[in-house]
């Protein structure tokens, strides 16, 4: 059930050489705190170990966004790798996690600047799944070979790591749109019922606006457009995509007006403060389960279900940098982080939806939501809650989340697969804002701008 992504003829652009250019680009960065556990915020300065001119180092550096998982489970997985050994008894090479930003947009710009320079700073990249086409096409990634159990990954998620017929990345965690609701609030069964409900969405100017707007298009007559490898023509953008956004605009000025200020954190706070419904990602479930306002003792005061209709297939992938000085060890670390045990811990202890069937007790042949079987975090780690403490979320609550995720995966669609995704996203959401504001973004200008952006040409409505 896997397939190759849209090819551009296998072009590989040359990478600029020289360490000096990279050091110059980083000269304004803040100093880092490099602890043995490897927690680094923002950018390294020239004293960073991986900045050595010859890149002669045995340590691995993993770069990604801020770890927002419950109990910092990503950091815990890196720590477990550092404590582990290969089958022949050799210790794993030490790995350090570099956390650059919580914002997907900032993660992209900062990581891209480093890998584009040809520098050896990073070995393993934790990437938004929309980056694969751009990074692989530009020669920033090394194809993955020998990863075990590829058929155990959810096929749609695995395809986000393919480019030009090769596998460059594998899923670390998947994301799908979920509908959170307070107890006593009946969630709408169909998409139109959401828009007038005052639901908390993510409509501020960042990737969340692109995601939420695409879901609105797909659920209002534009299903399949601006998704995956199939590129809509100008007429489809004008006659099907634009009208769906125009119908969303009155809600953005009315019942959804508050959501225009919301990213993920702001919408979580609005929901915890009383907004009855919220569209958000799976990791939010565990965050809410530990929020005193959202529980009554062991009982949660909210529920979760799949978002009605189509949803964006989000998530983050693991890839090996083309300029890693330790590509073999880096690939081993990717296999460790994407393995079933790590994925189970990431879900039950961290709240991130896994990329593998087996992490939810499923197989490719037995994959219905009713078949989800998960374990609580303490049963995986052997560390029960302390005296007087309650394990949240517990196994029953995690099962509810797992079933919602699997249901939503059956309705999930990828965002456009293009090396120019960042150009598309910034153009698309800029046009969406103008449509919301009645600022002159007519159907023709919208169609032309979005069509240009898919080719990497900067445009605006």
């Amino acid at each position: 059930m896997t397939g190759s992504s849209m090819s551009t003829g296998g072009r590989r652009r040359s990478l600029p050489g020289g360490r000096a250019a990279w050091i110059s680009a980083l000269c304004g960065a803040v100093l880092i705190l490099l602890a043995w556990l490897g927690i680094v915020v923002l950018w390294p300065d020239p004293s960073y170990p991986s900045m050595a001119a010859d890149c002669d180092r045995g340590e691995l550096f993993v770069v990604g966004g801020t770890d927002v998982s419950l109990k910092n489970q990503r950091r815990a997985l890196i720590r477990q790798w550092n404590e582990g050994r290969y089958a022949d008894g050799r210790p794993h090479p030490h790995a350090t996690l570099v956390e650059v930003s919580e914002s997907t947009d900032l993660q992209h710009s900062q990581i891209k600047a480093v890998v584009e320079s040809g520098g050896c700073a990073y070995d393993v990249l934790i990437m938004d799944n929309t980056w694969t086409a751009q990074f692989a096409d530009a020669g920033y990634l090394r194809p993955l070979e020998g990863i075990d159990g590829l058929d155990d990954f959810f096929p749609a998620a695995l395809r986000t790591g393919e480019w030009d017929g090769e596998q460059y990345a594998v899923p670390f965690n998947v994301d799908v749109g979920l509908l959170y609701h307070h107890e006593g609030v009946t969630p709408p069964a169909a998409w139109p019922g959401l828009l007038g409900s005052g639901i908390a969405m993510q409509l501020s100017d960042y990737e969340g606006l692109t995601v939420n707007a695409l879901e609105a298009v797909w659920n209002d007559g534009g299903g399949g457009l601006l998704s995956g490898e199939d590129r809509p023509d100008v007429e489809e953008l004008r006659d099907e995509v634009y009208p769906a956004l125009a119908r969303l605009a009155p809600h953005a000025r009315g019942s959804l007006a508050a959501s225009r200020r919301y990213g993920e954190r702001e919408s979580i706070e609005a929901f915890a403060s009383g907004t009855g419904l919220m569209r958000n990602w799976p990791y939010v479930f565990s965050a809410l389960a530990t929020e005193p306002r959202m529980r009554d003792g062991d009982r949660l005061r909210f529920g979760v279900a799949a978002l009605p209709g189509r949803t964006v297939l989000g998530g983050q992938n693991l890839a090996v940098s083309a300029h890693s000085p330790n590509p073999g060890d880096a690939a081993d670390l990717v296999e460790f982080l994407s393995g079933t045990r790590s994925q189970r811990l990431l879900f039950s202890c961290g709240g991130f939806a896994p990329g593998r069937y087996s992490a939810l007790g499923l197989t490719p042949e037995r994959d219905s939501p009713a078949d989800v079987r998960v374990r609580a975090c303490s049963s995986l780690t052997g560390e029960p809650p302390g005296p007087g403490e309650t394990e949240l979320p517990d196994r029953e609550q995690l099962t509810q989340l797992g079933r919602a995720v699997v249901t939503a995966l059956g309705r999930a669609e990828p965002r456009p697969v293009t090396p120019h995704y960042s150009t598309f996203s910034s153009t698309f959401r800029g046009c969406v804002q103008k449509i919301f504001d009645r600022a002159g973004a007519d159907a023709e200008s919208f169609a032309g701008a979005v069509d240009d952006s898919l080719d990497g040409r900067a445009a605006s409505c």
Side-chain angles (χ1 to χ4, degrees):
M1 295 178 67
T2 61
S4 63
S5 296
M6 177 179 57
S7 171
T8 59
R11 296 190 304 274
R12 295 291 183 269
R13 293 189 288 277
S14 60
L15 295 172
R19 198 72 58 215
W22 188 50
I23 295 175
S24 176
L26 300 179
C27 64
V30 299
L31 289 173
I32 62 165
L33 174 63
L34 181 58
W36 182 249
L37 292 181
I39 308 306
V40 184
V41 180
L42 297 179
W43 297 56
D45 75 352
S47 66
Y48 194 52
S50 62
M51 291 294 292
D54 58 3
C55 293
D56 184 15
R57 57 179 170 83
E59 185 169 11
L60 298 173
F61 290 88
V62 184
V63 64
T66 305
D67 185 3
V68 297
S69 61
L70 188 65
K71 304 174 186 174
N72 299 125
Q73 190 57 41
R74 284 184 172 176
R75 301 176 191 175
L77 289 177
I78 296 294
R79 187 163 57 248
Q80 290 173 27
W81 163 268
N82 289 337
E83 295 168 353
R85 292 179 175 270
Y86 288 112
D88 62 5
R90 290 179 298 121
H92 290 157
H94 187 268
T96 294
L97 179 63
V98 182
E99 298 177 40
V100 293
S101 175
E102 188 171 333
S103 162
T104 302
D105 297 329
L106 290 177
Q107 291 169 34
H108 176 267
S109 61
Q110 292 177 11
I111 295 174
K112 177 177 176 291
V114 174
V115 295
E116 188 174 45
S117 75
C120 65
Y122 304 139
D123 299 279
V124 174
L125 311 182
I126 303 175
M127 319 183 308
D128 189 276
N129 65 15
T130 60
W131 303 356
T132 304
Q134 178 188 18
F135 281 28
D137 185 68
Y140 303 158
L141 307 179
R142 183 181 295 269
L144 292 176
E145 299 177 354
I147 300 293
D148 287 339
L150 290 182
D151 60 348
D152 186 38
F153 289 106
F154 295 110
L158 186 64
R159 284 195 293 271
T160 66
E162 296 177 6
W163 179 249
D164 200 18
E166 293 194 80
Q167 194 76 42
Y168 285 93
V170 292
F172 191 25
N173 63 275
V174 298
D175 265 331
V176 283
L178 299 181
L179 180 60
Y180 293 85
H181 59 91
H182 283 268
E183 60 181 355
V185 176
T186 301
W191 178 264
L194 290 179
L195 299 183
S197 66
I199 183 174
M201 303 177 79
Q202 298 81 45
L203 299 179
S204 65
D205 184 16
Y206 78 113
E207 181 64 19
L209 175 56
T210 298
V211 166
N212 282 248
L214 284 174
E215 289 176 344
V217 169
W218 296 343
N219 288 295
D220 186 14
L225 298 177
L226 290 177
S227 173
E229 303 168 22
D230 294 329
R231 174 173 171 170
D233 57 32
V234 172
E235 290 74 20
E236 289 172 318
L237 290 169
R238 182 191 64 208
D239 298 337
E240 298 181 58
V241 176
Y242 177 86
L245 294 170
R247 288 189 289 270
L248 177 64
H251 298 286
R253 296 190 292 268
S255 61
L256 299 178
S259 290
R260 296 197 64 187
R261 303 188 301 272
Y262 294 168
E264 291 168 32
R265 284 182 177 271
E266 293 81 6
S267 57
I268 294 170
E269 176 58 31
F271 182 72
S273 297
T275 301
L277 297 168
M278 174 179 63
R279 179 257 179 243
N280 220 314
W281 302 114
Y283 82 89
V284 173
F285 183 89
S286 294
L288 289 172
T290 59
E291 165 59 52
R293 289 176 292 176
M294 300 308 299
R295 66 175 193 266
D296 183 6
D298 297 347
R299 183 176 61 85
L300 301 184
R301 301 177 64 184
F302 69 95
V304 66
L307 195 71
R310 296 177 173 89
T311 177
V312 162
L313 174 65
Q316 294 184 303
N317 290 344
L318 296 162
V320 174
S321 169
H323 300 284
S324 166
N326 307 289
D329 289 334
D332 290 339
L333 179 52
V334 165
E335 187 162 21
F336 172 85
L337 293 173
S338 64
T340 296
R341 182 180 183 278
S342 294
Q343 296 274 289
R344 284 174 176 159
L345 288 167
L346 198 64
F347 177 69
S348 293
C349 302
F352 276 10
R356 287 185 180 270
Y357 288 108
S358 56
L360 295 176
L362 304 174
T363 68
E365 298 75 30
R366 186 175 58 82
D367 61 353
S368 77
D371 292 324
V372 167
R373 298 290 184 273
V374 297
R375 294 164 60 186
C377 180
S378 62
S379 72
L380 294 173
T381 64
E383 300 174 0
E389 295 181 353
T390 299
E391 181 160 42
L392 292 170
D394 61 24
R395 185 180 63 82
E396 182 179 346
Q397 293 157 359
L398 287 168
T399 298
Q400 179 190 14
L401 173 62
R403 289 175 176 170
V405 167
V406 173
T407 301
L409 276 170
R411 307 170 183 169
E413 298 187 15
R415 284 162 284 180
V417 175
T418 169
H420 312 297
Y421 180 81
S422 60
T423 301
F424 157 76
S425 182
S426 61
T427 300
F428 178 73
R429 65 178 183 258
C431 290
V432 170
Q433 289 180 307
K434 288 187 176 182
I435 293 170
F436 286 175
D437 293 334
R438 292 186 260 192
D442 58 37
E444 291 291 346
S445 64
F446 170 83
V450 173
D451 187 62
D452 284 345
S453 71
L454 290 166
D455 287 325
R457 296 191 295 271
S460 62
C461 290

